[in-house]
Amino acid sequence: MASDPLKTSLGSIELTSPLIAASGTVGSVWEWATTADVRHFGAAVAKSVSAEPWAGRPVPRLAPISTGMLNGIGIQNAGIEQWVGLMTSRIPGIEVSVWGSAVGHTPTEYAKVVVLLAEAGVPVVELNLSCPNLDDGEMFSFDPVRAAAVVEECVVLAPVPVGAKLSPDTPDLVAVASACLEAGAGFLTLTNTASGFGMDRRTGRPLLSGGPGGYSGPGLKPIALRCVYQVAQALPGAPIIGCGGISEAADAVDFLMAGASAVALGTVLLESPNAGKRIAKDLVREMQRLGVSTVTELVGSVRPW
Ligand SMILES: Cc1cc2nc3c(=O)[nH]c(=O)nc-3n(C[C@H](O)[C@H](O)[C@H](O)COP(=O)(O)O)c2cc1C
């Protein structure tokens, strides 16, 4: 086993661990980092932030279901100005690399957020092109031209690497992934939540006030894994963060073998904020069992039939 078995790289970004905390599941990172052991993570992505404050959706907007959870938060956030005011002084004291996540209605809104996140000290920004919860139904992730326009405007202005987080519901995922990389995205995050719906049989109402919402947790894994595999096969060498339903080291191994260079943990951290410690330890054990000494040996090691 190598001295640093978990070390990996995501394009130009070096990571001490392939584990990343997924956006929206660890708040602004600061709250989480005060209670959880964050040293097992290569990075943690803060909740998505927009140029102006977004009110989000009314409650109920979180619903546990048997195979994971539904959320319809609508990216409630106080806007980038407040984020910068709160986080600029906190980031240097947090024991894990804090990445930003930008969301917006136009490429210009995204770019404004990206620039201010970088000024606040984040070394990497993820563009959330895939939230299915916005009332206007707009999803940049569905369209290669619109997705690339966001990436392009951000990359031109950003002094830090910028990645694109896509939706598993994207009709032609490879086309959108390819357009984002061509536009300068430093990595792809595959994936965000899938569109789902749940019923409350007692009241006869939808589980979420907004009706459909984002489906996450174990039930999302085969879908997200398919996204990673499909993009990695079509675009060999694409830097990918795999995300969706990872709750154990074996899940992480599956994503790495399918072509991800790093993996993000989401819903599992809501249940168990310290899950990274267990998963990192088990990942090393799982690698020993498989006879590999570094994470990078696993990346894309899936074999054809
Ligand atoms: C409560 C909740 C809030 C989320 N908020 C965001 C967000 O603000 N930005 C984002 O890009 N993804 C957000 N996500 C999606 C997660 O980052 C992740 O992509 C998704 O949950 C799939 O991973 P998982 O199955 O491990 O949870 C959120 C997910 C949950 C459950």
Side-chain angles (χ1 to χ4, degrees), residues 174 190 226-238 240 258-260 300 302:
V174 170
L190 304 172
R226 180 268 299 167
C227 293
V228 169
Y229 175 73
Q230 203 176 21
V231 171
Q233 292 292 307
L235 308 169
I240 297 172
V302 56

Side-chain angles (χ1 to χ4, degrees), residues 113-125:
V113 175
V114 168
V115 167
L116 292 175
L117 283 168
E119 275 179 27
V122 308
V124 175
V125 178

Side-chain angles (χ1 to χ4, degrees), residues 20-32 43-49 83 87 91 94 97-102 117 122 124 126 128 165:
I20 293 178
S23 177
T25 62
V26 289
S28 71
V29 182
W30 182 77
E31 307 86 340
W32 172 66
V45 190
K47 175 147 190 72
S48 296
V49 60
W83 197 97
M87 290 299 291
I91 288 172
I94 298 176
S97 179
V98 179
W99 295 3
S101 169
L117 283 168
V122 308
V124 175
E126 194 175 72
N128 178 2
K165 184 169 181 178

Side-chain angles (χ1 to χ4, degrees), residues 77-102:
N77 77 94
I80 187 64
E81 310 283 350
Q82 176 162 337
W83 197 97
V84 169
L86 276 175
M87 290 299 291
T88 307
S89 60
R90 287 177 176 174
I91 288 172
I94 298 176
E95 276 189 293
V96 63
S97 179
V98 179
W99 295 3
S101 169

Side-chain angles (χ1 to χ4, degrees), residues 22-25 47-48 62 69 71 73 75 101 126 128 165 191-193 216-217 220 243-246 264-267 270:
S23 177
T25 62
K47 175 147 190 72
S48 296
L62 275 181
M69 74 184 301
N71 90 81
I73 292 171
I75 322 247
S101 169
E126 194 175 72
N128 178 2
K165 184 169 181 178
T191 69
N192 209 313
T193 53
S216 66
L220 178 61
C243 178
I246 297 171
L265 313 180
T267 302
L270 296 176

